[in-house]
């Protein structure tokens, strides 16, 4: 059976019932140009909808239903539909048109999903956590270092649907870069999936490099002369932000490994080689995060040890001064007793002698403590 026949069999659009279904969807929604991000017959969530044939953008047929019908009729090319935070109502027509599984649709609309890869018939559903580094002049106990979002990707034999959540991670530049390489884009929807995965993982590496600079700054300040006065909340904040980054990176290892090694219908073997390169980069980011976590633990322990040492220093100083003050206190206490018969009580040089003894004892104690490093 030809590829066109397979597509018609999978989607049902090669039959009269399938065409009637598309016609109903077409009548249900007004036909508006989807190539402009500000226009959408499905709601404001649609960012772009483009048809590609042989890796080249097709300028005609800008209506979604017409684009899908054209691609499935010819059996060539694919449709790339991009959305940003769609609602259930906005996504309902799209889910019906592309026959998307309800569970995957629910995940795409609700967001807050763990990175994963799932198969629903002939459709592949992938979830990627996007990250970006939040610039800040100085790291504090409340500084936001890492901001996360999500990209959900539906991949079929003739379509790619990307659903983005969050204010960063725009795929516009990625789409333009892919369009400048039609040979790669001609490999089909799997090439778009690889480009998205590669783009997300490259952002991981960029963020880990920026986080490393923050950790180096904290490490330098901890081991500075007044490192014991550093607010430990800054270290805990770095660990919390690193945990956010870890939740995005670590769970993605298994999905990317599956894309690189397991046979998947919508991912041809030639694309799997590219996913192996993405996996290498992901492992590098994962190892960096693990090293950062251990380093922050060491920095925190070192800081707590410095605080303990500083407290011991303070206690030794307090103890030394207390010992010095104890000598004149004892002498004054003895001669402050109201007894009639006490040595040197009525002696002419008794007072000067007592002062000399107290001063001499204090000086001797002070020099002894200084020599031993207590003062």
């Amino acid at each position: 059976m030809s590829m066109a026949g397979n597509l018609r069999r999978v989607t049902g659009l090669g039959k009269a019932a399938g065409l009637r279904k598309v016609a109903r969807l077409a009548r249900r929604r007004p036909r508006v140009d989807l190539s402009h991000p500000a226009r959408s017959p499905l709601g404001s969530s649609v960012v772009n909808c483009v048809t590609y044939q042989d890796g080249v953008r097709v300028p005609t047929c800008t209506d979604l239903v017409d684009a899908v019908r054209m691609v499935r009729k010819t059996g060539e090319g694919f449709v790339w539909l991009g959305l940003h935070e769609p609602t259930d109502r906005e996504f309902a027509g799209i889910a019906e048109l592309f026959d998307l599984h309800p569970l995957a649709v629910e995940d795409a609309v609700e967001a807050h999903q763990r990175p994963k890869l799932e198969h629903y018939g002939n459709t592949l559903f992938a979830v990627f956590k996007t990250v970006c580094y939040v610039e800040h002049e100085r790291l504090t106990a409340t500084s936001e270092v890492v901001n996360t979002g999500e990209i959900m990707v539906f991949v079929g034999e003739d379509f790619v649907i990307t659903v983005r959540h969050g204010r960063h991670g725009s795929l516009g530049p990625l789409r333009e870069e892919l369009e400048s390489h039609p040979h790669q884009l001609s490999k089909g929807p799997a090439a778009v999936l690889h480009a998205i995965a590669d783009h997300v993982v490259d952002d991981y590496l960029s963020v880990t490099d920026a986080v490393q600079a923050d950790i180096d700054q904290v490490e330098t300040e901890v081991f500075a002369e007044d490192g014991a006065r550093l607010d430990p909340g800054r270290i805990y904040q770095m660990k919390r932000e690193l945990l956010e980054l870890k939740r995005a990176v670590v769970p993605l290892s298994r999905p990317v490994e599956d894309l690189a090694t397991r046979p998947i219908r919508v991912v041809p073997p030639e694309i799997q080689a590219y996913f192996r390169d993405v996996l290498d980069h992901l492992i590098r980011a994962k190892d960096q995060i693990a090293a950062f976590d251990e380093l922050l633990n060491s920095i925190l322990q070192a800081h707590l040890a410095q605080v303990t040492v500083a407290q011991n220093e303070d206690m030794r100083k307090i103890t030394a001064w207390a010992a010095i003050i104890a000598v004149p206190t004892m002498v004054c206490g003895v001669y402050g007793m109201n007894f009639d018969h006490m040595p040197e009580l009525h002696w002419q040089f008794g007072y000067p002698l007592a002062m000399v003894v107290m001063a001499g004892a204090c000086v001797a104690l002070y020099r002894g403590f200084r020599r031993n490093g207590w003062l």
Side-chain angles (χ1 to χ4, degrees), residues 324-366:
I324 294 173
I325 295 174
V327 173
T329 301
M330 181 187 67
V331 175
C332 293
V334 169
Y335 281 93
M337 294 184 291
N338 296 321
F339 291 107
D340 292 334
H341 303 287
M342 292 183 65
E344 295 89 24
L345 189 61
H346 300 287
W347 186 34
Q348 181 180 359
F349 301 103
Y351 175 75
L353 179 62
M355 297 299 295
V356 170
V357 169
M358 288 189 292
C362 290
V363 170
L365 287 173
Y366 178 79

mmCIF file of all heavy atoms in Angstrom, residues 324-366:
data_model
loop_
_atom_site.group_PDB
_atom_site.id
_atom_site.type_symbol
_atom_site.label_atom_id
_atom_site.label_comp_id
_atom_site.label_asym_id
_atom_site.label_seq_id
_atom_site.Cartn_x
_atom_site.Cartn_y
_atom_site.Cartn_z
ATOM 1 N N ILE A 324 39.923 37.242 82.808
ATOM 2 C CA ILE A 324 40.701 38.428 83.203
ATOM 3 C C ILE A 324 39.934 39.266 84.217
ATOM 4 O O ILE A 324 40.503 39.746 85.222
ATOM 5 C CB ILE A 324 41.058 39.256 81.950
ATOM 6 C CG1 ILE A 324 42.017 38.477 81.046
ATOM 7 C CG2 ILE A 324 41.657 40.600 82.340
ATOM 8 C CD1 ILE A 324 42.293 39.144 79.718
ATOM 9 N N ILE A 325 38.659 39.456 83.991
ATOM 10 C CA ILE A 325 37.851 40.261 84.916
ATOM 11 C C ILE A 325 37.654 39.548 86.249
ATOM 12 O O ILE A 325 37.455 40.183 87.299
ATOM 13 C CB ILE A 325 36.499 40.583 84.252
ATOM 14 C CG1 ILE A 325 36.729 41.469 83.015
ATOM 15 C CG2 ILE A 325 35.558 41.276 85.222
ATOM 16 C CD1 ILE A 325 35.476 41.723 82.218
ATOM 17 N N ALA A 326 37.748 38.211 86.240
ATOM 18 C CA ALA A 326 37.509 37.459 87.479
ATOM 19 C C ALA A 326 38.565 37.751 88.542
ATOM 20 O O ALA A 326 38.260 37.700 89.750
ATOM 21 C CB ALA A 326 37.481 35.967 87.165
ATOM 22 N N VAL A 327 39.827 38.068 88.147
ATOM 23 C CA VAL A 327 40.899 38.304 89.127
ATOM 24 C C VAL A 327 40.627 39.547 89.977
ATOM 25 O O VAL A 327 40.594 39.470 91.221
ATOM 26 C CB VAL A 327 42.263 38.400 88.424
ATOM 27 C CG1 VAL A 327 43.347 38.822 89.422
ATOM 28 C CG2 VAL A 327 42.617 37.075 87.793
ATOM 29 N N PRO A 328 40.424 40.735 89.363
ATOM 30 C CA PRO A 328 40.118 41.891 90.227
ATOM 31 C C PRO A 328 38.797 41.727 90.964
ATOM 32 O O PRO A 328 38.646 42.237 92.082
ATOM 33 C CB PRO A 328 40.061 43.057 89.250
ATOM 34 C CG PRO A 328 39.854 42.450 87.912
ATOM 35 C CD PRO A 328 40.527 41.131 87.956
ATOM 36 N N THR A 329 37.859 41.009 90.371
ATOM 37 C CA THR A 329 36.596 40.779 91.065
ATOM 38 C C THR A 329 36.813 39.974 92.334
ATOM 39 O O THR A 329 36.215 40.254 93.386
ATOM 40 C CB THR A 329 35.611 40.045 90.125
ATOM 41 O OG1 THR A 329 35.398 40.824 88.955
ATOM 42 C CG2 THR A 329 34.278 39.813 90.812
ATOM 43 N N MET A 330 37.691 38.946 92.246
ATOM 44 C CA MET A 330 37.964 38.126 93.418
ATOM 45 C C MET A 330 38.668 38.934 94.512
ATOM 46 O O MET A 330 38.302 38.861 95.699
ATOM 47 C CB MET A 330 38.831 36.944 93.016
ATOM 48 C CG MET A 330 39.164 35.996 94.173
ATOM 49 S SD MET A 330 40.352 34.734 93.696
ATOM 50 C CE MET A 330 41.810 35.753 93.436
ATOM 51 N N VAL A 331 39.696 39.723 94.125
ATOM 52 C CA VAL A 331 40.426 40.516 95.118
ATOM 53 C C VAL A 331 39.502 41.524 95.789
ATOM 54 O O VAL A 331 39.497 41.681 97.022
ATOM 55 C CB VAL A 331 41.629 41.208 94.468
ATOM 56 C CG1 VAL A 331 42.336 42.130 95.468
ATOM 57 C CG2 VAL A 331 42.598 40.175 93.917
ATOM 58 N N CYS A 332 38.720 42.222 94.966
ATOM 59 C CA CYS A 332 37.794 43.205 95.535
ATOM 60 C C CYS A 332 36.752 42.525 96.415
ATOM 61 O O CYS A 332 36.319 43.086 97.437
ATOM 62 C CB CYS A 332 37.092 43.978 94.410
ATOM 63 S SG CYS A 332 38.181 45.033 93.437
ATOM 64 N N GLY A 333 36.363 41.335 96.016
ATOM 65 C CA GLY A 333 35.389 40.619 96.838
ATOM 66 C C GLY A 333 35.955 40.232 98.193
ATOM 67 O O GLY A 333 35.245 40.280 99.210
ATOM 68 N N VAL A 334 37.223 39.821 98.207
ATOM 69 C CA VAL A 334 37.844 39.421 99.476
ATOM 70 C C VAL A 334 37.971 40.618 100.409
ATOM 71 O O VAL A 334 37.597 40.570 101.596
ATOM 72 C CB VAL A 334 39.211 38.785 99.223
ATOM 73 C CG1 VAL A 334 39.978 38.609 100.549
ATOM 74 C CG2 VAL A 334 39.034 37.453 98.529
ATOM 75 N N TYR A 335 38.484 41.721 99.863
ATOM 76 C CA TYR A 335 38.690 42.883 100.731
ATOM 77 C C TYR A 335 37.424 43.704 100.912
ATOM 78 O O TYR A 335 37.432 44.711 101.597
ATOM 79 C CB TYR A 335 39.828 43.757 100.184
ATOM 80 C CG TYR A 335 41.168 43.175 100.526
ATOM 81 C CD1 TYR A 335 41.820 42.324 99.643
ATOM 82 C CD2 TYR A 335 41.767 43.459 101.752
ATOM 83 C CE1 TYR A 335 43.035 41.778 99.961
ATOM 84 C CE2 TYR A 335 42.985 42.915 102.078
ATOM 85 C CZ TYR A 335 43.629 42.071 101.178
ATOM 86 O OH TYR A 335 44.832 41.523 101.513
ATOM 87 N N GLY A 336 36.376 43.289 100.322
ATOM 88 C CA GLY A 336 35.111 43.957 100.577
ATOM 89 C C GLY A 336 34.374 43.362 101.761
ATOM 90 O O GLY A 336 33.310 43.872 102.150
ATOM 91 N N MET A 337 34.904 42.282 102.309
ATOM 92 C CA MET A 337 34.264 41.677 103.491
ATOM 93 C C MET A 337 34.494 42.546 104.725
ATOM 94 O O MET A 337 35.581 43.073 104.921
ATOM 95 C CB MET A 337 34.811 40.269 103.717
ATOM 96 C CG MET A 337 34.442 39.303 102.598
ATOM 97 S SD MET A 337 34.982 37.613 102.895
ATOM 98 C CE MET A 337 36.751 37.811 102.761
ATOM 99 N N ASN A 338 33.530 42.676 105.578
ATOM 100 C CA ASN A 338 33.587 43.592 106.734
ATOM 101 C C ASN A 338 34.092 42.888 107.995
ATOM 102 O O ASN A 338 33.394 42.760 108.997
ATOM 103 C CB ASN A 338 32.200 44.178 106.999
ATOM 104 C CG ASN A 338 31.723 45.040 105.848
ATOM 105 O OD1 ASN A 338 32.524 45.758 105.267
ATOM 106 N ND2 ASN A 338 30.442 44.958 105.527
ATOM 107 N N PHE A 339 35.327 42.385 107.914
ATOM 108 C CA PHE A 339 35.957 41.809 109.099
ATOM 109 C C PHE A 339 36.927 42.827 109.691
ATOM 110 O O PHE A 339 37.573 43.580 108.964
ATOM 111 C CB PHE A 339 36.706 40.519 108.746
ATOM 112 C CG PHE A 339 35.783 39.392 108.360
ATOM 113 C CD1 PHE A 339 35.672 38.987 107.044
ATOM 114 C CD2 PHE A 339 35.028 38.738 109.325
ATOM 115 C CE1 PHE A 339 34.825 37.960 106.687
ATOM 116 C CE2 PHE A 339 34.186 37.704 108.967
ATOM 117 C CZ PHE A 339 34.065 37.307 107.653
ATOM 118 N N ASP A 340 37.039 42.823 111.001
ATOM 119 C CA ASP A 340 37.956 43.781 111.665
ATOM 120 C C ASP A 340 39.404 43.343 111.536
ATOM 121 O O ASP A 340 40.302 44.176 111.430
ATOM 122 C CB ASP A 340 37.594 43.919 113.149
ATOM 123 C CG ASP A 340 36.259 44.612 113.337
ATOM 124 O OD1 ASP A 340 35.881 45.400 112.416
ATOM 125 O OD2 ASP A 340 35.583 44.361 114.342
ATOM 126 N N HIS A 341 39.664 42.071 111.632
ATOM 127 C CA HIS A 341 41.049 41.581 111.628
ATOM 128 C C HIS A 341 41.343 40.937 110.276
ATOM 129 O O HIS A 341 41.150 39.748 110.053
ATOM 130 C CB HIS A 341 41.272 40.576 112.774
ATOM 131 C CG HIS A 341 40.952 41.145 114.119
ATOM 132 N ND1 HIS A 341 41.756 42.081 114.762
ATOM 133 C CD2 HIS A 341 39.885 40.934 114.945
ATOM 134 C CE1 HIS A 341 41.224 42.405 115.930
ATOM 135 N NE2 HIS A 341 40.077 41.724 116.060
ATOM 136 N N MET A 342 41.778 41.746 109.316
ATOM 137 C CA MET A 342 42.193 41.280 108.001
ATOM 138 C C MET A 342 43.578 41.811 107.696
ATOM 139 O O MET A 342 43.904 42.948 108.044
ATOM 140 C CB MET A 342 41.223 41.787 106.916
ATOM 141 C CG MET A 342 39.834 41.158 107.002
ATOM 142 S SD MET A 342 38.770 41.735 105.657
ATOM 143 C CE MET A 342 39.627 41.041 104.248
ATOM 144 N N PRO A 343 44.465 40.996 107.069
ATOM 145 C CA PRO A 343 45.832 41.453 106.769
ATOM 146 C C PRO A 343 45.810 42.685 105.846
ATOM 147 O O PRO A 343 44.971 42.774 104.954
ATOM 148 C CB PRO A 343 46.451 40.242 106.042
ATOM 149 C CG PRO A 343 45.614 39.067 106.443
ATOM 150 C CD PRO A 343 44.233 39.597 106.669
ATOM 151 N N GLU A 344 46.716 43.561 106.109
ATOM 152 C CA GLU A 344 46.916 44.771 105.303
ATOM 153 C C GLU A 344 45.687 45.672 105.232
ATOM 154 O O GLU A 344 45.609 46.572 104.405
ATOM 155 C CB GLU A 344 47.358 44.435 103.861
ATOM 156 C CG GLU A 344 48.715 43.781 103.762
ATOM 157 C CD GLU A 344 48.576 42.269 103.871
ATOM 158 O OE1 GLU A 344 47.483 41.750 103.567
ATOM 159 O OE2 GLU A 344 49.547 41.608 104.268
ATOM 160 N N LEU A 345 44.706 45.445 106.111
ATOM 161 C CA LEU A 345 43.496 46.255 106.033
ATOM 162 C C LEU A 345 43.766 47.707 106.439
ATOM 163 O O LEU A 345 43.214 48.635 105.840
ATOM 164 C CB LEU A 345 42.405 45.651 106.925
ATOM 165 C CG LEU A 345 41.012 46.259 106.784
ATOM 166 C CD1 LEU A 345 40.484 46.073 105.365
ATOM 167 C CD2 LEU A 345 40.044 45.643 107.795
ATOM 168 N N HIS A 346 44.638 47.872 107.427
ATOM 169 C CA HIS A 346 44.963 49.236 107.891
ATOM 170 C C HIS A 346 46.382 49.625 107.518
ATOM 171 O O HIS A 346 46.917 50.591 108.062
ATOM 172 C CB HIS A 346 44.779 49.330 109.418
ATOM 173 C CG HIS A 346 43.366 49.015 109.848
ATOM 174 N ND1 HIS A 346 42.302 49.869 109.645
ATOM 175 C CD2 HIS A 346 42.864 47.906 110.476
ATOM 176 C CE1 HIS A 346 41.197 49.328 110.126
ATOM 177 N NE2 HIS A 346 41.507 48.110 110.638
ATOM 178 N N TRP A 347 46.971 48.893 106.579
ATOM 179 C CA TRP A 347 48.339 49.179 106.157
ATOM 180 C C TRP A 347 48.336 50.361 105.200
ATOM 181 O O TRP A 347 47.442 50.486 104.344
ATOM 182 C CB TRP A 347 48.927 47.931 105.495
ATOM 183 C CG TRP A 347 50.394 48.054 105.130
ATOM 184 C CD1 TRP A 347 51.354 48.735 105.788
ATOM 185 C CD2 TRP A 347 51.013 47.475 103.985
ATOM 186 N NE1 TRP A 347 52.559 48.626 105.170
ATOM 187 C CE2 TRP A 347 52.387 47.833 104.022
ATOM 188 C CE3 TRP A 347 50.569 46.666 102.927
ATOM 189 C CZ2 TRP A 347 53.307 47.427 103.069
ATOM 190 C CZ3 TRP A 347 51.504 46.268 101.998
ATOM 191 C CH2 TRP A 347 52.834 46.643 102.047
ATOM 192 N N GLN A 348 49.369 51.194 105.304
ATOM 193 C CA GLN A 348 49.410 52.412 104.496
ATOM 194 C C GLN A 348 49.506 52.110 103.003
ATOM 195 O O GLN A 348 48.917 52.818 102.180
ATOM 196 C CB GLN A 348 50.622 53.269 104.942
ATOM 197 C CG GLN A 348 50.727 54.572 104.154
ATOM 198 C CD GLN A 348 51.921 55.411 104.609
ATOM 199 O OE1 GLN A 348 52.648 55.016 105.521
ATOM 200 N NE2 GLN A 348 52.098 56.569 104.001
ATOM 201 N N PHE A 349 50.232 51.057 102.639
ATOM 202 C CA PHE A 349 50.420 50.712 101.225
ATOM 203 C C PHE A 349 49.512 49.559 100.758
ATOM 204 O O PHE A 349 49.743 48.958 99.724
ATOM 205 C CB PHE A 349 51.889 50.325 100.971
ATOM 206 C CG PHE A 349 52.850 51.422 101.311
ATOM 207 C CD1 PHE A 349 53.588 51.373 102.492
ATOM 208 C CD2 PHE A 349 53.014 52.522 100.459
ATOM 209 C CE1 PHE A 349 54.477 52.388 102.805
ATOM 210 C CE2 PHE A 349 53.916 53.520 100.792
ATOM 211 C CZ PHE A 349 54.641 53.462 101.966
ATOM 212 N N GLY A 350 48.490 49.244 101.544
ATOM 213 C CA GLY A 350 47.611 48.123 101.198
ATOM 214 C C GLY A 350 46.844 48.355 99.894
ATOM 215 O O GLY A 350 46.761 47.473 99.025
ATOM 216 N N TYR A 351 46.274 49.556 99.769
ATOM 217 C CA TYR A 351 45.489 49.840 98.554
ATOM 218 C C TYR A 351 46.350 49.834 97.298
ATOM 219 O O TYR A 351 46.002 49.170 96.304
ATOM 220 C CB TYR A 351 44.764 51.167 98.713
ATOM 221 C CG TYR A 351 44.035 51.598 97.456
ATOM 222 C CD1 TYR A 351 42.844 50.981 97.070
ATOM 223 C CD2 TYR A 351 44.555 52.617 96.646
ATOM 224 C CE1 TYR A 351 42.176 51.372 95.922
ATOM 225 C CE2 TYR A 351 43.896 53.006 95.484
ATOM 226 C CZ TYR A 351 42.695 52.384 95.133
ATOM 227 O OH TYR A 351 42.037 52.753 93.999
ATOM 228 N N PRO A 352 47.524 50.558 97.288
ATOM 229 C CA PRO A 352 48.369 50.502 96.079
ATOM 230 C C PRO A 352 48.832 49.089 95.764
ATOM 231 O O PRO A 352 48.870 48.691 94.591
ATOM 232 C CB PRO A 352 49.549 51.408 96.414
ATOM 233 C CG PRO A 352 49.019 52.339 97.451
ATOM 234 C CD PRO A 352 48.061 51.531 98.271
ATOM 235 N N LEU A 353 49.146 48.287 96.813
ATOM 236 C CA LEU A 353 49.602 46.933 96.573
ATOM 237 C C LEU A 353 48.486 46.096 95.924
ATOM 238 O O LEU A 353 48.734 45.323 94.983
ATOM 239 C CB LEU A 353 50.054 46.289 97.888
ATOM 240 C CG LEU A 353 50.531 44.837 97.763
ATOM 241 C CD1 LEU A 353 51.758 44.746 96.848
ATOM 242 C CD2 LEU A 353 50.862 44.266 99.149
ATOM 243 N N ALA A 354 47.261 46.245 96.386
ATOM 244 C CA ALA A 354 46.140 45.486 95.808
ATOM 245 C C ALA A 354 45.924 45.867 94.344
ATOM 246 O O ALA A 354 45.672 44.999 93.482
ATOM 247 C CB ALA A 354 44.867 45.735 96.612
ATOM 248 N N MET A 355 46.031 47.150 94.036
ATOM 249 C CA MET A 355 45.864 47.584 92.650
ATOM 250 C C MET A 355 46.960 47.031 91.755
ATOM 251 O O MET A 355 46.707 46.604 90.624
ATOM 252 C CB MET A 355 45.844 49.112 92.582
ATOM 253 C CG MET A 355 44.671 49.752 93.327
ATOM 254 S SD MET A 355 43.066 49.253 92.661
ATOM 255 C CE MET A 355 43.153 49.957 91.034
ATOM 256 N N VAL A 356 48.213 47.025 92.273
ATOM 257 C CA VAL A 356 49.326 46.492 91.482
ATOM 258 C C VAL A 356 49.141 45.001 91.230
ATOM 259 O O VAL A 356 49.369 44.496 90.116
ATOM 260 C CB VAL A 356 50.666 46.782 92.195
ATOM 261 C CG1 VAL A 356 51.800 46.025 91.514
ATOM 262 C CG2 VAL A 356 50.968 48.264 92.187
ATOM 263 N N VAL A 357 48.733 44.275 92.282
ATOM 264 C CA VAL A 357 48.522 42.831 92.119
ATOM 265 C C VAL A 357 47.417 42.554 91.089
ATOM 266 O O VAL A 357 47.554 41.688 90.216
ATOM 267 C CB VAL A 357 48.175 42.193 93.476
ATOM 268 C CG1 VAL A 357 47.700 40.753 93.281
ATOM 269 C CG2 VAL A 357 49.385 42.220 94.391
ATOM 270 N N MET A 358 46.303 43.290 91.162
ATOM 271 C CA MET A 358 45.211 43.078 90.200
ATOM 272 C C MET A 358 45.642 43.413 88.770
ATOM 273 O O MET A 358 45.360 42.669 87.833
ATOM 274 C CB MET A 358 43.996 43.914 90.603
ATOM 275 C CG MET A 358 43.278 43.387 91.839
ATOM 276 S SD MET A 358 41.701 44.215 92.166
ATOM 277 C CE MET A 358 42.275 45.848 92.621
ATOM 278 N N ALA A 359 46.351 44.538 88.619
ATOM 279 C CA ALA A 359 46.804 44.928 87.285
ATOM 280 C C ALA A 359 47.802 43.928 86.735
ATOM 281 O O ALA A 359 47.737 43.533 85.554
ATOM 282 C CB ALA A 359 47.407 46.324 87.322
ATOM 283 N N GLY A 360 48.762 43.477 87.578
ATOM 284 C CA GLY A 360 49.754 42.511 87.121
ATOM 285 C C GLY A 360 49.117 41.192 86.705
ATOM 286 O O GLY A 360 49.493 40.589 85.683
ATOM 287 N N ALA A 361 48.154 40.730 87.508
ATOM 288 C CA ALA A 361 47.485 39.466 87.166
ATOM 289 C C ALA A 361 46.702 39.595 85.853
ATOM 290 O O ALA A 361 46.713 38.688 85.014
ATOM 291 C CB ALA A 361 46.566 39.046 88.301
ATOM 292 N N CYS A 362 46.047 40.738 85.648
ATOM 293 C CA CYS A 362 45.280 40.942 84.415
ATOM 294 C C CYS A 362 46.195 40.981 83.200
ATOM 295 O O CYS A 362 45.883 40.389 82.146
ATOM 296 C CB CYS A 362 44.464 42.228 84.504
ATOM 297 S SG CYS A 362 43.069 42.140 85.669
ATOM 298 N N VAL A 363 47.339 41.672 83.320
ATOM 299 C CA VAL A 363 48.285 41.750 82.205
ATOM 300 C C VAL A 363 48.843 40.376 81.878
ATOM 301 O O VAL A 363 48.978 39.980 80.713
ATOM 302 C CB VAL A 363 49.412 42.742 82.534
ATOM 303 C CG1 VAL A 363 50.524 42.660 81.491
ATOM 304 C CG2 VAL A 363 48.863 44.160 82.592
ATOM 305 N N ALA A 364 49.181 39.601 82.922
ATOM 306 C CA ALA A 364 49.731 38.266 82.693
ATOM 307 C C ALA A 364 48.709 37.360 81.991
ATOM 308 O O ALA A 364 49.044 36.611 81.061
ATOM 309 C CB ALA A 364 50.162 37.653 84.032
ATOM 310 N N LEU A 365 47.466 37.426 82.446
ATOM 311 C CA LEU A 365 46.429 36.620 81.797
ATOM 312 C C LEU A 365 46.198 37.061 80.343
ATOM 313 O O LEU A 365 46.019 36.227 79.449
ATOM 314 C CB LEU A 365 45.130 36.718 82.591
ATOM 315 C CG LEU A 365 45.087 35.965 83.929
ATOM 316 C CD1 LEU A 365 43.809 36.309 84.676
ATOM 317 C CD2 LEU A 365 45.181 34.465 83.698
ATOM 318 N N TYR A 366 46.199 38.370 80.126
ATOM 319 C CA TYR A 366 45.968 38.875 78.772
ATOM 320 C C TYR A 366 47.059 38.399 77.819
ATOM 321 O O TYR A 366 46.772 37.936 76.701
ATOM 322 C CB TYR A 366 45.922 40.405 78.794
ATOM 323 C CG TYR A 366 45.739 41.016 77.431
ATOM 324 C CD1 TYR A 366 44.481 41.071 76.822
ATOM 325 C CD2 TYR A 366 46.832 41.541 76.743
ATOM 326 C CE1 TYR A 366 44.320 41.629 75.569
ATOM 327 C CE2 TYR A 366 46.688 42.102 75.489
ATOM 328 C CZ TYR A 366 45.427 42.151 74.899
ATOM 329 O OH TYR A 366 45.268 42.697 73.657
#
